[in-house]
Amino acid sequence: MTILVTGGAGYIGTHTLVELMQAGHQVVVFDNFCNSTPAAVLRVEQICARKVKIIQGDICDRQALTQVFTSHQIDAVIHFAGLKAVGESVAKPLLYYRNNVSGTATLCEVMAEAGVTRLVFSSSATVYGDPQHLPIVEDFATCATNPYGRTKLFIEEMLRDLQRSDTSWRIALLRYFNPIGAHPSGLIGENPAGIPNNLFPFITQVAIGKRESLSVFGGDYQTPDGTGVRDYIHVVDLALGHLCALERIMDKEGVLTVNLGTGQGYSVLEMINTFEQVSGRTIPYQIVDRRPGDIASCYADPSLARHELGWVAECGLKEMCRDGWNWQQQNPTGY
Ligand code: NAD
Ligand code: UFG
């Protein structure tokens, strides 16, 4: 198949390109590089020893998107393109609604005009807000606590409405938990601009000497050691989940909403300890106040993904730390 990958130059996009190409698919990348670089796609070419078609463009640009569908025979779309910084979304909500929600609406309109109705969408565990029970099952109530999260919720609803209006649409809404790590080759990985918002890239930057120490946000949560618990998933496992979702929507109508997580939660201190063991580096840290908006614990019930997609995350925390550290060491300043 030929798959259009919006946001394909980004962190999860590049890892998914590798798995798609290694499974024999053709890919077309559409990205405006607002949070990435074409160099990342060149690394994908290096891993796969194949050229990748890259188109620089914005999902809000209807003409540019239409051009993609008229010049390529696209069978399905994996839609990663979006802005994802929670703090920025609070400061600039309209930017997030325009880019994420309106951009997705434009993409779907252009897809419909081209007769392409297979779509895999990047949603997030953030749509569960602060869950009342754990592990998190897909039919839990949804709620969002910031504009970024609301864009994911609104897009999910918009895509369900779209499918109700035209049942030829087949859509997978993939709710990612916390992707970390990198491709085992060390050629592609997460490349945050500026100070990392997320735990794992912050730890690797402390380990490489780029930052002095880690602030652990909160030591008084109702968790075994008081620090926040999350379901970290190896980015290659996550990428493979997209392939399974793609195959699944090719032969099943409707909207499939599914968690992509491991089902196992780890605390911030457990993450630090595992990273120290794997890397042989010490991570200096201090426990500071909670980060506003954070929740105590979040981990998936991944059974629906196993039943519906035949997908299970294979890698453990040590492999995530090993591969993420390998990427950081090989690319101390990113791409
Ligand atoms: P990323 O920023 O590395 O990748 C997103 C890509 O989309 C970037 O290459 C960026 O340049 C591109 N992009 C953004 N807006 C665009 C636009 N208007 N037109 C064209 N390209 C555009 O992020 P990622 O971590 O790879 O995340 C991919 C998707 O997964 C996002 O939608 C994100 O919200 C979602 N997600 C990520 C996480 C996570 O922890 N990384 C968790 C849950 C969901
Ligand atoms: N943390 C620290 N110090 C840091 C960064 C994070 O202690 O410097 C803690 C957080 O308090 C939390 C845990 O590490 O307990 C994980 O934090 P991340 O920022 O790495 O991840 P979140 O779970 O907060 O959020 C991420 C994405 C969201 C997405 C969510 C679920 O940033 O966009 O996963 O997919 F919605």
Side-chain angles (χ1 to χ4, degrees):
M1 288 192 284
T2 300
I3 316 297
L4 174 65
V5 184
T6 74
Y11 173 45
I12 306 168
T14 44
H15 290 82
T16 305
L17 292 178
V18 169
E19 300 308 324
L20 286 168
M21 291 205 286
Q22 290 184 342
H25 296 296
Q26 308 295 320
V27 296
V28 176
V29 172
F30 187 84
D31 200 304
N32 65 1
F33 305 117
C34 69
N35 196 37
S36 59
T37 154
V41 185
L42 300 182
R43 299 285 186 88
V44 171
E45 291 182 338
Q46 204 180 327
I47 294 170
C48 297
R50 258 170 70 187
K51 295 295 278 181
V52 175
K53 174 79 186 174
I54 311 176
I55 299 162
Q56 180 165 8
D58 195 300
I59 52 164
C60 298
D61 181 346
R62 178 183 304 267
Q63 253 190 324
L65 273 176
T66 304
Q67 178 63 32
V68 175
F69 283 89
T70 45
S71 51
H72 300 86
Q73 276 286 342
I74 304 293
D75 298 295
V77 178
I78 303 184
H79 177 33
F80 293 109
L83 298 173
K84 63 168 184 177
V86 172
E88 185 187 48
S89 81
V90 174
K92 300 177 182 171
L94 297 181
L95 174 67
Y96 274 65
Y97 288 113
R98 180 161 52 74
N99 195 76
N100 294 4
V101 181
S102 172
T104 303
T106 303
L107 171 67
C108 291
E109 282 172 351
V110 173
M111 286 175 68
E113 278 160 23
V116 179
T117 54
R118 309 291 188 262
L119 177 66
V120 177
F121 172 66
S122 301
S123 188
S124 166
T126 193
V127 301
Y128 296 112
D130 193 354
Q132 300 223 316
H133 305 282
L134 291 165
I136 297 172
V137 181
E138 286 82 351
D139 62 7
F140 278 17
T142 52
C143 99
T145 52
N146 56 68
Y148 164 70
R150 271 185 284 280
T151 68
K152 294 296 178 192
L153 267 184
F154 295 168
I155 294 167
E156 283 200 1
E157 291 302 337
M158 179 171 80
L159 295 176
R160 288 193 191 95
D161 284 337
L162 173 63
Q163 202 280 334
R164 276 183 212 112
S165 74
D166 175 354
T167 54
S168 66
W169 280 88
R170 295 166 186 209
I171 300 172
L173 306 175
L174 305 182
R175 291 175 173 168
Y176 311 155
F177 281 69
N178 290 55
I180 63 166
H183 192 265
S185 65
L187 286 168
I188 54 173
E190 190 170 10
N191 188 31
I195 302 169
N197 292 314
N198 298 114
L199 177 65
F200 191 77
F202 204 104
I203 289 179
T204 64
Q205 291 196 4
V206 171
I208 203 83
K210 211 167 162 179
R211 319 233 162 245
E212 243 169 52
S213 77
L214 171 75
S215 294
V216 174
F217 298 140
D220 56 353
Y221 283 109
Q222 291 285 341
T223 60
D225 64 20
T227 65
V229 168
R230 296 291 184 275
D231 186 339
Y232 298 97
I233 173 172
H234 196 298
V235 66
V236 172
D237 274 329
L238 187 70
L240 288 166
H242 291 73
L243 261 77
C244 298
L246 196 60
E247 278 165 25
R248 182 71 171 85
I249 60 169
M250 284 300 162
D251 55 40
K252 197 189 177 192
E253 280 180 11
V255 177
L256 179 67
T257 305
V258 62
N259 289 339
L260 293 183
T262 65
Q264 173 76 51
Y266 289 101
S267 72
V268 176
L269 296 184
E270 286 175 312
M271 172 66 89
I272 294 171
N273 287 337
T274 307
F275 188 87
E276 287 184 334
Q277 270 176 38
V278 169
S279 66
R281 299 284 169 110
T282 301
I283 304 299
Y285 71 87
Q286 63 286 333
I287 297 184
V288 301
D289 285 349
R290 293 180 179 192
R291 183 169 63 177
D294 269 358
I295 58 175
S297 297
C298 172
Y299 52 91
D301 178 338
S303 5
L304 188 70
R306 189 172 66 240
H307 292 134
E308 286 283 341
L309 307 179
W311 172 91
V312 177
E314 305 280 350
C315 297
L317 196 60
K318 281 191 173 157
E319 287 145 305
M320 302 180 212
C321 290
R322 179 198 64 200
D323 293 339
W325 177 228
N326 181 38
W327 152 256
Q328 180 71 78
Q329 282 180 294
Q330 287 193 41
N331 306 272
T333 54
Y335 287 109

